[in-house]
Amino acid sequence: MFNTDAALDKAVRLFWQRGYDATSMADLVAETGVAAASLYAAFDNKAGLFAAVIERYAATFSVHLYAPINDPALSTFEAVKGLLERAASSFSEPGTPAGCFMYSAAAAVSPASAAIECLLRDKRIAAEALLIERLQRGAAQGELAANADPAVLGKFINTVMEGMSVQARDGATINELLSIAKMALDRWPAAV
């Protein structure tokens, strides 16, 4: 028997660094230290392991990243500011691969792995929906300009985060990522 969470954490990092298609089961065996037969018994195949990795990432990194969005004590602006600041910090954190796993892994999936891309897309859409819901609540409470469209604003913020992820993978520092976040927040559609 093996420690599933520990193995998944190692697999997250490997898939995050290399992407789905470029990571072999032999790579996963070497990284996790778990025998191939045990990985196959637990997850059926590489796709099953990757699906578990997505859930593990969502339950660890994503929960931390999106915590401000779920904090009712924060204003909508403070929640989005917290999200973007955590993105800057998380995407450039030493000891983890640069960028965001959900964005980075998606960029490295071939058309032959359409089911994997679908899993990633579903998680990204769910995260964006969570953000849009928060923006809709803020709009209903008068925290946004009357002409602000929460759905478009949510897509804009999500796009900024995707760009920050790519910038981090290309070597951007936390200060550079925070500057990008600040520039996005400077365009906040505040209520008058």
Side-chain angles (χ1 to χ4, degrees):
M1 198 61 182
F2 63 93
N3 181 323
T4 304
D5 288 343
L8 287 173
D9 288 343
K10 289 177 182 178
V12 164
R13 291 180 193 286
L14 191 60
F15 280 124
W16 195 344
Q17 289 170 331
R18 297 185 183 179
Y20 178 77
D21 290 324
T23 303
S24 69
M25 282 303 286
D27 296 331
L28 291 160
V29 167
E31 182 69 21
T32 63
V34 177
S38 296
L39 288 175
Y40 282 112
F43 304 107
D44 294 327
N45 53 31
K46 185 172 97 169
L49 175 56
F50 192 78
V53 160
I54 290 172
E55 292 306 319
R56 180 71 178 162
Y57 180 88
T60 54
F61 289 94
S62 293
V63 165
H64 170 75
L65 180 63
Y66 283 88
I69 296 300
N70 294 313
D71 187 343
L74 298 176
S75 71
T76 302
F77 176 82
E78 292 167 336
V80 171
K81 182 176 186 277
L83 172 65
L84 290 174
E85 288 174 347
R86 283 179 185 226
S89 174
S90 296
F91 295 175
S92 61
E93 185 175 324
T96 62
C100 173
F101 170 78
M102 293 295 184
Y103 301 133
S104 299
V109 175
S110 72
S113 302
I116 297 302
E117 171 51 30
C118 187
L119 288 172
L120 290 164
R121 183 177 39 252
D122 288 348
K123 284 292 184 190
R124 291 191 311 270
I125 288 170
E128 184 175 274
L130 181 70
L131 174 59
I132 291 170
E133 284 176 24
R134 178 60 189 254
L135 295 168
Q136 289 169 333
R137 286 195 311 272
Q141 295 168 351
E143 295 182 57
L144 300 179
N147 64 345
D149 182 335
V152 172
L153 182 57
K155 287 190 176 299
F156 169 73
I157 293 163
N158 204 44
T159 300
V160 169
M161 287 178 45
E162 288 174 20
M164 289 170 64
S165 176
V166 172
Q167 288 291 313
R169 290 199 54 102
D170 288 346
T173 66
I174 186 171
N175 289 333
E176 291 169 325
L177 297 176
L178 287 169
S179 294
I180 294 167
K182 183 184 180 311
M183 182 171 281
L185 291 167
D186 285 347
R187 278 114 185 107
W188 185 257
V192 178

